[in-house]
Amino acid sequence: MADSFAALLVATSVLANLARAGFVEQTFLPQTVPCNCSLTTPVPSTCRGRVFSRAQYDIWAKNLDFSFGRLSEQQWASLRDQYTKPWAGPAVLSGSTKLFGSYDGERDYNFMDFLPMQMRALNGFCFAEEHEALPNGVPYPPTGQGPRLYQKTILVPNCWGTVYEILRSMSWTLSDDLDSFYDAFSTDDKAAQKWLQNATVPVPGHYEQAKRRFGDIMFIWLRDKQMQRPILEHAVMFVDQDIVFEKAGTGDLNPFRLTDLGTVQHEW
């Protein structure tokens, strides 16, 4: 696991055509599974695990869900200050925009209600990737003893591309810009490591002992003495001390979801 966290990540990306690729809503089994996770808020919540019916592996099957039920206005304000204020400007926080509603004493609230709009939109979806042939006339690298060239482009959002997009959109909504959007893209790990070096600040200490705050991100590397360099494998964004939002891999059935740090440790 990586020891590096950060509060901001910026980068540029090459965007692709969304002709056949797209977001696919997950279907969940009617039964939920036990959840031993908790939030740091003093507001009582109930955690349950929603199980993705088409999950390829158990490690990617569960999506965490925290319900609060009816809230007093004081409880609602406490949750807003802890989980909405880090990504929302004054107008959004006032409840007068489409991104975040005002207090409703008759509503049953959920953790997702307080999180950034991209997380709310992506949660519970997968992304069907697209492979397209390279354009005619594009010169290929010279053939030789190097790796075989895959002669197609692949459109798929990966984990660190998703983290970047959420952080980018947060920088907009903190300024009360309501027209934010999500770009679906991925990059290789070298480009992502450049972002990390240029635009993030490590949180001191080992990741398990660090104070992990909303908006911090964790990068996970594969390191080995036989390798020429560390390989970046995964990135997640914290929404609480032990709860993260992630794009769990790049396959068609790899979900956008809330999960816990312990699952990430087992996953990678």
Side-chain angles (χ1 to χ4, degrees):
M1 299 286 289
D3 297 341
S4 298
F5 293 73
L8 180 63
L9 179 66
V10 293
T12 59
S13 66
V14 177
L15 304 181
N17 183 357
L18 280 170
R20 288 179 292 278
F23 295 96
V24 179
E25 189 170 5
Q26 299 180 45
T27 56
F28 292 94
L29 298 177
Q31 305 87 358
T32 59
V33 296
C35 170
N36 297 320
C37 305
S38 61
L39 302 172
T40 58
T41 174
V43 178
S45 64
T46 300
C47 179
R48 60 178 182 156
R50 303 173 66 204
V51 180
F52 179 29
S53 63
R54 298 179 61 206
Q56 290 179 303
Y57 304 102
D58 289 344
I59 197 70
W60 292 329
K62 187 166 69 173
N63 191 338
L64 296 185
D65 180 69
F66 295 88
S67 59
F68 299 114
R70 302 287 175 90
L71 296 172
S72 68
E73 191 163 4
Q74 183 178 8
Q75 289 174 319
W76 175 86
S78 175
L79 292 167
R80 177 200 60 189
D81 290 347
Q82 183 171 354
Y83 300 113
T84 309
K85 195 172 183 179
W87 61 267
V92 175
L93 284 174
S94 72
S96 61
T97 73
K98 60 186 178 182
L99 301 188
F100 182 70
S102 57
Y103 171 69
D104 182 352
E106 301 301 314
R107 177 177 177 177
D108 288 326
Y109 282 93
N110 184 282
F111 187 37
M112 270 290 159
D113 295 328
F114 297 89
L115 298 184
M117 67 175 196
Q118 270 82 1
M119 290 186 186
R120 283 179 268 156
L122 295 170
N123 188 51
F125 280 78
C126 296
F127 190 91
E129 64 185 51
E130 177 182 345
H131 296 239
E132 282 194 354
L134 295 176
N136 293 330
V138 174
Y140 291 91
T143 59
Q145 300 301 316
R148 174 179 173 270
L149 176 67
Y150 184 67
Q151 298 185 8
K152 289 187 177 182
T153 61
I154 306 173
L155 173 57
V156 58
N158 67 353
C159 52
W160 50 77
T162 297
V163 164
Y164 163 67
E165 278 299 293
I166 292 173
L167 291 172
R168 180 191 59 77
S169 70
M170 285 172 55
S171 71
W172 290 21
T173 52
L174 278 167
S175 301
D176 286 324
D177 188 327
L178 308 184
D179 296 322
S180 184
F181 55 88
Y182 176 85
D183 279 339
F185 72 95
S186 60
T187 71
D188 63 21
D189 81 294
K190 285 185 177 181
Q193 291 199 47
K194 287 183 180 178
W195 305 341
L196 170 64
Q197 294 167 2
N198 296 334
T200 64
V201 179
V203 174
H206 191 270
Y207 76 92
E208 289 186 314
Q209 283 75 52
K211 184 177 181 181
R212 303 178 291 274
R213 301 179 300 176
F214 190 109
D216 286 348
I217 55 178
M218 181 168 69
F219 294 89
I220 302 169
W221 283 272
L222 176 63
R223 288 189 174 101
D224 190 275
K225 292 180 180 179
Q226 306 301 318
M227 298 170 59
Q228 294 182 356
R229 64 176 181 85
I231 302 298
L232 183 59
E233 288 197 311
H234 195 47
V236 301
M237 176 176 166
F238 283 90
V239 294
D240 207 319
Q241 173 73 8
D242 292 319
I243 307 300
V244 302
F245 187 82
E246 70 168 356
K247 173 68 171 76
T250 57
D252 286 359
L253 299 180
N254 294 59
F256 297 90
R257 65 172 182 173
L258 280 181
T259 190
D260 64 290
L261 182 57
T263 298
V264 174
Q265 290 172 313
H266 289 296
E267 182 181 2
W268 299 95

